[in-house]
């Protein structure tokens, strides 16, 4: 993992000291809330419905055990004993007191963490594939590129006040587990025809009230040009992005209005200018810096292990619950004898993405003992142990089961993404968490969930789409309709390399009617699928949405709705 140098440590500690003074002035009344607002936002602090909310950056979703224990300590000491892991690989605390926030940031700095640029119109936390460095299909670990981007973008003087927030994601495999086509800039590590490693650059993606699938602006970019090309994109956006209407200020709107060819021509001109005339050398990373970063993400010293283990096989034979968990929650690792463990934060009856202090401590202990001291946060609000020897799976499962973390539902219908919704968020128009809980409870039978197979349900409590509903196989959008919560359903979204947006099926449903509607969609799928290998999404792509629409809106109801 990357470790701070002296400059990093001093910089973060100085920021905490500055903010401590700003908080003191706010509490004394020397600063009004309007004056304080931009200062707190620069430190990741929002004012939500009931309290301040602190969003902590977890760069590319990677933590060590000490950092996870510190997050647990913060939850216990200054919040309500839990934290909420988000779809951008961050963690949020929903109940901190203003007077405690400088101490919380100080505690984060002690373990090389902060909340800088987790809010505001700047370049946000850079995200990456949560299986980075472990996935068998990976061309190259994307985290060195993400860390390089993080260092370049942190406190960048030219991009501190962009037209709107700006998000970058990096993936190193053909299977896109970082949702790169839904980011302002998406970067995919690729090989060119000569076998050289470089980047495919995608631009102008995003969800929110105007969902857009990102488009490829460069098929292949040499690695040393990453910062210069991103700088060129940001310069064009910063100059021409709209500032008169925040709903039209994201780069996706600029790319659509300009047209890709015109936007690309401007970027290429700026790129050439950066490289050839003025500031080029400063944007070609120092090879020594790049080497230091790459060394920080060098693979751990894996043991040479057989791919099978007699004790593990015996446990699989004799413990059906363990066998089910292994079948559902493990992913193939690049090293023989090892596996990737996904820890579901979606137990039935709990808010998706929440983890208690005790649970975070258990995960930290497991990471330290069994996963080369690494934990990952996925954009699907789960935790990952990326490097686990298969022989250790029984011990890990037993510990997770004792902590209520052994739910075997990864990629199944209970593995739901949901934003905080109206229970916490000042922007929300409907609740998300109770809807997710109701659906998970209804489909709690694990055998039925496995019969349904792969299913991605994603729920947002407002049009801002923090729950990624546009790219859910089933998307649910909560809105306010005449003072009552109402939920629109979309179908056929896909967050992978084949990213596509779901189609709205029809009029929305009251909260109590959402679960019956989902059940009708599932029954329709089970009735029309060709075989068990045809997933829900494949079936929707084959037959279209009409059979599902007919199931939700029978002719009589359709006529009344019209």
């Amino acid at each position: 993992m990357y470790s701070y140098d002296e400059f990093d440590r001093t910089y973060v500690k100085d920021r905490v000291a500055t903010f401590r003074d700003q908080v003191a002035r706010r509490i004394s009344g020397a600063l009004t809330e309007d004056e304080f607002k931009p200062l707190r936002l620069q430190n990741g602090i929002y004012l939500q419905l009931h309290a301040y909310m602190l969003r902590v950056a977890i760069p590319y979703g990677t933590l060590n055990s000490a950092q996870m224990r510190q997050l647990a300590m913060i939850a216990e000491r200054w919040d309500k004993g839990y934290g909420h892991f988000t779809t951008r690989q961050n963690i949020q605390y929903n109940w901190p007191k203003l007077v405690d926030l400088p101490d919380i940031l100080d505690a984060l700095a002690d373990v090389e963490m902060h909340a800088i640029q987790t809010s505001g119109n700047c370049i946000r936390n850079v995200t990456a594939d949560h299986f980075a460095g472990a996935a068998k299909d990976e061309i190259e670990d994307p985290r060195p590129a993400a860390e390089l981007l993080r260092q370049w973008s942190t406190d960048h003087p030219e991009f501190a006040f962009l037209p709107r927030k700006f998000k970058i994601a990096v993936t190193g495999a053909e299977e896109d587990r970082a949702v790169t086509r839904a980011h302002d800039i998406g970067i995919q590590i690729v090989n060119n025809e000569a076998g050289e490693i470089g980047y495919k650059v995608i631009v102008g993606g995003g969800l929110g009230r105007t969902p857009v699938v990102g488009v490829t602006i460069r098929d292949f970019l040499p690695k040393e040009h990453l910062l210069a090309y991103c700088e060129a994109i940001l310069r064009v956006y910063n100059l021409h992005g709209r500032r008169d209407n925040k709903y039209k200020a994201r780069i996706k709107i600029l790319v659509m209005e300009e047209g890709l060819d015109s936007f690309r021509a401007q970027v290429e001109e700026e790129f050439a200018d950066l490289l050839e005339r003025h500031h080029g050398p400063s944007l070609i990373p120092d090879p020594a810096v790049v080497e230091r970063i790459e060394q920080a993400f060098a693979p751990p010293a894996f043991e040479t292990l057989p791919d099978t283990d007699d004790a593990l096989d015996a446990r699989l034979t004799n413990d059906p619950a363990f066998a089910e968990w292994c079948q559902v929650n493990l992913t193939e690792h690049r090293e023989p004898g090892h596996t990737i463990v996904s820890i579901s934060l979606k137990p039935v009856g709990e808010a998706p993405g929440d983890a208690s202090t005790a649970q975070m401590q258990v995960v930290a202990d497991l990471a330290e003992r069994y996963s080369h001291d690494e934990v990952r946060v996925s954009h699907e609000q789960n935790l990952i142990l990326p490097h686990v020897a298969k022989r250790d799976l029984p011990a890990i499962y037993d510990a997770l089961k004792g902590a209520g973390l052994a739910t075997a539902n990864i990629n199944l219908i209970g593995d739901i993404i949901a934003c905080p919704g109206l229970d916490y968020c000042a922007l929300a128009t409907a609740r998300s968490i109770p809807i997710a809980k109701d659906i998970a409870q209804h489909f709690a039978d694990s055998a039925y969930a496995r019969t349904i197979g792969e299913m991605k349900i994603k729920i947002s409590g407002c049009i801002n789409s923090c729950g990624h509903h546009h790219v859910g196989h089933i998307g649910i959008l909560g809105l306010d309709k005449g003072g009552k919560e109402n939920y629109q359903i979309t179908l056929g979204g896909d967050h992978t390399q084949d990213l596509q947006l779901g189609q709205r099926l029809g009029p929305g449903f009251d909260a109590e009617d959402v679960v019956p509607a989902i059940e009708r969609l599932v029954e329709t799928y089970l009735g029309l699928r060709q075989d068990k290998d045809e997933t829900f999404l494949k079936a929707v792509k084959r037959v279209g949405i009409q059979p599902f629409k007919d199931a939700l809106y029978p002719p009589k109801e359709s006529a009344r709705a019209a």
Side-chain angles (χ1 to χ4, degrees), residues 307-325:
D307 210 32
T308 58
D309 182 89
D310 292 342
L312 171 62
D313 291 342
R315 179 73 180 265
L316 288 169
T317 300
N318 298 318
D319 186 342
F322 173 68
E324 178 186 339
W325 178 79

Side-chain angles (χ1 to χ4, degrees), residues 292-447:
R292 176 182 176 238
I293 292 174
E294 290 178 343
Q295 284 299 314
F297 296 100
F302 294 111
E303 290 181 74
T304 301
L305 295 171
D307 210 32
T308 58
D309 182 89
D310 292 342
L312 171 62
D313 291 342
R315 179 73 180 265
L316 288 169
T317 300
N318 298 318
D319 186 342
F322 173 68
E324 178 186 339
W325 178 79
C326 287
Q327 180 185 5
V328 173
N329 288 36
L330 304 185
T331 302
E332 190 173 14
H333 197 280
R334 64 194 309 168
E335 292 292 324
H338 292 75
T339 189
I340 303 168
V341 174
S342 292
I343 303 170
S344 172
L345 295 183
K346 322 286 177 58
V348 175
E350 300 296 331
D354 279 7
S356 69
T357 294
Q359 289 173 327
M360 285 189 267
Q361 289 170 338
V362 167
V363 172
D365 292 345
L366 292 175
E368 184 175 41
R369 185 169 182 182
Y370 297 114
S371 188
H372 295 272
D373 205 25
E374 277 198 39
V375 186
R376 308 283 175 74
V377 182
S378 79
H379 80 273
E380 296 188 291
Q381 299 179 287
N382 293 313
L383 299 177
I384 312 293
L385 298 177
H387 307 301
V388 170
K390 290 182 178 178
R391 66 165 183 238
D392 296 328
L393 286 171
I396 290 172
Y397 173 77
D398 291 341
L400 291 175
K401 187 177 180 182
L405 289 171
T407 308
N409 66 355
I410 296 297
N411 294 327
L412 300 179
I413 195 166
D415 188 10
I416 300 168
I417 286 181
C419 71
L422 199 53
D423 289 300
Y424 299 100
C425 181
L427 300 176
T429 48
R431 291 170 297 168
S432 300
I433 293 172
I435 299 297
K437 288 181 176 179
D438 289 347
I439 294 171
Q441 186 66 55
H442 182 80
F443 293 97
D445 181 343
S446 61

Side-chain angles (χ1 to χ4, degrees), residues 95-108:
W95 304 98
K97 296 176 182 176
L98 179 58
V99 68
D100 293 331
L101 283 165
D103 289 337
I104 297 174
L105 295 178
D106 216 10
L108 290 170

Side-chain angles (χ1 to χ4, degrees), residues 10-169:
T10 301
Y11 172 79
V12 173
K13 283 289 186 180
D14 286 349
R15 282 287 296 257
V16 174
T18 299
F19 187 61
R20 188 179 295 279
D21 175 67
Q22 292 163 348
V23 169
R25 285 189 284 152
R26 173 69 189 108
I27 292 174
S28 72
L31 290 176
T32 66
E33 176 56 30
D34 284 345
E35 291 168 332
F36 181 60
K37 181 178 178 179
L39 304 176
R40 63 173 167 78
L41 287 176
Q42 289 174 19
N43 290 278
I45 297 159
Y46 294 72
L47 185 56
Q48 296 286 51
L49 280 178
H50 312 294
Y52 286 102
M53 180 273 281
L54 172 64
R55 179 179 295 155
V56 179
I58 302 176
Y60 30 88
T62 297
L63 292 164
N64 60 31
S65 59
Q67 291 170 328
M68 181 63 95
R69 289 193 184 97
Q70 196 80 330
L71 296 179
M73 185 278 288
I74 289 169
E76 181 67 22
R77 182 172 179 181
W78 289 300
D79 208 88
K80 292 192 175 183
Y82 71 94
H84 177 75
F85 290 96
T86 77
T87 55
R88 296 212 75 252
Q89 299 179 308
N90 297 313
I91 186 172
Q92 294 179 178
Y93 296 102
N94 288 313
W95 304 98
K97 296 176 182 176
L98 179 58
V99 68
D100 293 331
L101 283 165
D103 289 337
I104 297 174
L105 295 178
D106 216 10
L108 290 170
D110 287 342
V111 291
E112 303 186 351
M113 298 185 75
H114 59 73
I116 298 166
Q117 292 185 202
T118 58
S119 61
N121 293 333
C122 55
I123 300 172
R124 300 289 187 89
N125 181 40
V126 179
T127 58
D129 182 354
H130 45 269
F131 292 161
K136 195 166 185 177
D137 63 343
E138 187 174 87
I139 296 174
E140 185 176 85
D141 190 331
R143 292 175 299 166
E147 172 60 26
L148 192 62
L149 288 164
R150 187 193 70 80
Q151 294 189 19
W152 160 76
S153 63
T154 299
D155 226 14
H156 194 302
E158 194 170 334
F159 305 138
F161 298 98
L162 294 166
R164 245 346 230 125
K165 58 188 173 183
F166 201 92
K167 301 175 181 178
I168 302 175

